Amino acid sequence: GGNSKLSVQGEIPKANGDSLTVTFNHWDLSNFDALTKNTGINFDGFINGIFEVSIFKDSPTIVSDLTIDKFGLNDVLLGKARLINTWNNIDNSVFVKVQIIRKGNAGTGKIFSLDGFYYPFKGDSSLRLTADFNRINIEFLNPFLSDLFHGIEGKGKGHLNISGTPAKPVIEGKAVLDRASLIVNYLN
């Protein structure tokens, strides 16, 4: 409930000085369910902040500063999310910083962070990201791994390096699962 607002100003940038700004004020992410329905991904929460695309000195710029209260992924409440990105004209990259903070009975802590760069024009090596997670509820992984497993539950912690492309990411690192279980589809 309450006031919810999405405003769009400007137009899709084509020349210097053009900009498109999307401002969110307590906007329910469930409004985007129609866009993600076919992917099996479900976002929940209330988003606040700005997302802006513009042209400056003949180069595109992307800037966002977004906060999502009660952020949930695939029906699993994760916490409060913060997403920041900025465009770097020097190396044509997007700096990405994402954090999810969870408040629980034992206190408040960062359960997920993603930091690094996305190089949209670098072909096969467009991602250079690191992800750290601690005591994150892994149930949200069920739709992503449904071809192999189901009934995924428990907590996870670890550190991952992500390279490759968004379509074919290469993920290396270490993850430790605590009180976790899953069922392998082939074996049941």
Side-chain angles (χ1 to χ4, degrees):
N3 292 332
S4 180
K5 184 177 177 183
L6 168 80
S7 67
V8 180
Q9 275 187 296
E11 57 187 60
I12 296 175
K14 297 178 185 143
N16 277 331
D18 290 353
S19 67
L20 176 68
T21 302
V22 181
T23 305
F24 301 92
N25 184 2
H26 200 69
W27 184 257
D28 189 342
L29 283 178
S30 294
N31 290 317
F32 295 120
D33 285 352
L35 300 175
T36 62
K37 186 172 132 182
N38 292 337
T39 65
I41 300 172
N42 178 33
F43 294 107
D44 293 305
F46 297 92
I47 187 168
N48 294 287
I50 64 147
F51 178 84
E52 182 178 82
V53 180
S54 60
I55 304 277
F56 180 72
K57 293 185 179 181
D58 296 320
S59 295
T61 62
I62 301 170
V63 176
S64 74
D65 187 351
L66 303 167
T67 302
I68 304 171
D69 294 315
K70 299 179 183 173
F71 176 63
L73 180 57
N74 299 327
D75 301 317
V76 177
L77 177 64
L78 295 174
K80 183 174 187 170
R82 178 95 190 263
L83 300 86
I84 299 171
N85 75 51
T86 55
W87 178 260
N88 182 337
N89 283 325
I90 294 170
D91 61 4
N92 291 321
S93 68
V94 178
F95 170 72
V96 177
K97 183 173 186 73
V98 178
Q99 291 184 337
I100 301 175
I101 307 294
R102 174 86 176 164
K103 187 174 185 177
N105 295 337
T108 301
K110 184 176 12 173
I111 61 166
F112 178 81
S113 68
L114 178 73
D115 296 279
F117 295 89
Y118 170 52
Y119 300 90
F121 307 113
K122 277 200 174 181
D124 291 344
S125 60
S126 62
L127 297 175
R128 194 176 335 147
L129 302 165
T130 59
D132 290 290
F133 48 99
N134 184 29
R135 297 179 303 145
I136 193 166
N137 184 339
I138 61 172
E139 287 182 54
F140 77 90
L141 293 172
N142 276 298
F144 300 113
L145 301 174
S146 62
D147 289 345
L148 302 170
F149 310 109
H150 67 277
I152 299 170
E153 54 186 54
K155 304 283 185 192
K157 67 179 178 179
H159 174 84
L160 303 174
N161 293 312
I162 304 164
S163 58
T165 67
K168 292 183 180 177
V170 176
I171 301 171
E172 299 173 309
K174 181 179 179 180
V176 177
L177 303 179
D178 185 31
R179 297 182 186 165
S181 66
L182 59 84
I183 299 170
V184 178
N185 291 338
Y186 181 73
L187 300 175
N188 248 350

